[in-house]
C-alpha cells in the first residue's frame, strides 16, 4: 500500500514522504490515527505544501540552533494568567501558553513539544523554562508570570 505520511512515524519516515507499507499496517494503524493519507496524484501535489511547512520550522543545523537560542534567551517573555490574591494561579501554565507568549514577545515559532518545564508553574513570578531546539542545544528562557487584571 502506498501512503503519504502526515506525521512523523518512528522507523518509517517524516511528514511528506511517500512510503510503501503492508496493507494491514496502513489500513489498521496509519490511516485511522491520521498518520498518513492514501497516495494519489492529487495528494502527491500536497506533499510540496507539507515539505515547505516543515522546512520553514525545521532547524537546519547546530549553528542555526545556536542562533535561535541566542534570539530566545534575549527575549523578555511575559505571561498573564488568572491568579488569586496570594499569587497562586488558577490552574497551571502549559507549554502551549509558553509558546504563545514567546511568539507574542517577538520570538521565533517553536513547537510546544520542545518546551521542558521542570516542575509545574502554579504561581506568579519569574520561572526558567527550557526549549529543546536539537539534541544538544537547549535554550533557557525566563518567563515572567503576572496576574491578569
Amino acid at each position: 500500500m502506498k501512503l503519504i505520511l502526515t506525521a512523523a512515524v518512528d522507523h518509517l519516515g517524516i511528514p511528506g514522504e511517500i512510503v510503501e507499507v503492508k496493507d494491514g499496517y496502513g489500513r489498521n494503524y496509519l490511516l485511522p490515527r491520521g498518520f498518513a493519507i492514501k497516495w494519489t496524484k492529487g495528494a502527491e501535489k500536497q506533499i510540496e505544501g507539507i515539505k515547505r511547512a516543515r522546512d520553514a520550522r525545521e532547524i537546519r543545523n547546530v549553528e542555526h540552533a545556536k542562533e535561535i537560542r541566542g534570539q530566545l534567551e534575549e527575549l523578555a517573555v511575559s505571561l498573564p494568567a488568572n491568579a488569586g490574591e496570594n499569587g497562586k494561579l488558577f490552574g497551571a501554565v502549559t507549554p502551549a501558553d509558553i509558546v504563545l507568549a514567546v511568539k507574542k514577545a517577538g520570538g521565533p515559532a517553536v513547537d510546544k513539544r520542545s518546551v521542558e518545564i521542570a516542575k509545574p508553574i502554579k504561581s506568579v513570578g519569574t520561572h526558567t523554562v527550557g526549549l529543546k531546539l536539537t539534541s544538544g542545544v537547549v535554550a533557557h528562557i525566563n518567563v515572567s508570570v503576572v496576574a491578569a487584571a
Side-chain angles (χ1 to χ4, degrees):
M1 175 180 273
K2 205 169 185 182
L3 298 173
I4 301 170
L5 295 177
T6 57
V9 179
D10 289 340
H11 309 294
L12 192 58
I14 57 176
E17 281 189 10
I18 299 173
V19 294
E20 188 76 34
V21 296
K22 293 189 177 186
D23 292 344
Y25 182 57
R27 188 174 47 248
N28 297 324
Y29 181 74
L30 296 173
L31 292 174
R33 287 175 174 76
F35 294 151
I37 57 174
K38 287 190 176 183
W39 178 88
T40 62
K41 288 182 182 180
E44 190 169 6
K45 292 177 184 176
Q46 292 177 340
I47 292 174
E48 293 306 315
I50 293 171
K51 286 182 180 179
R52 275 194 303 261
R54 184 183 69 227
D55 291 342
R57 66 178 182 266
E58 187 176 85
I59 295 175
R60 291 181 286 281
N61 52 29
V62 176
E63 289 80 27
H64 185 236
K66 288 180 179 178
E67 179 182 319
I68 291 174
R69 179 178 64 187
Q71 292 173 1
L72 287 169
E73 290 177 347
E74 292 175 2
L75 289 178
V77 180
S78 178
L79 181 64
N82 292 330
E85 292 180 18
N86 58 357
K88 287 196 170 218
L89 299 182
F90 299 127
V93 175
T94 64
D97 295 335
I98 292 170
V99 168
L100 186 62
V102 167
K103 193 168 187 170
K104 283 184 181 178
V110 291
D111 188 18
K112 69 180 181 181
R113 293 174 290 206
S114 67
V115 176
E116 298 174 343
I117 302 173
K119 62 179 187 171
I121 299 173
K122 295 186 176 187
S123 63
V124 173
T126 302
H127 303 276
T128 302
V129 175
L131 295 171
K132 186 175 181 179
L133 302 174
T134 63
S135 60
V137 180
V138 177
H140 295 284
I141 61 170
N142 290 322
V143 178
S144 299
V145 179
V146 296

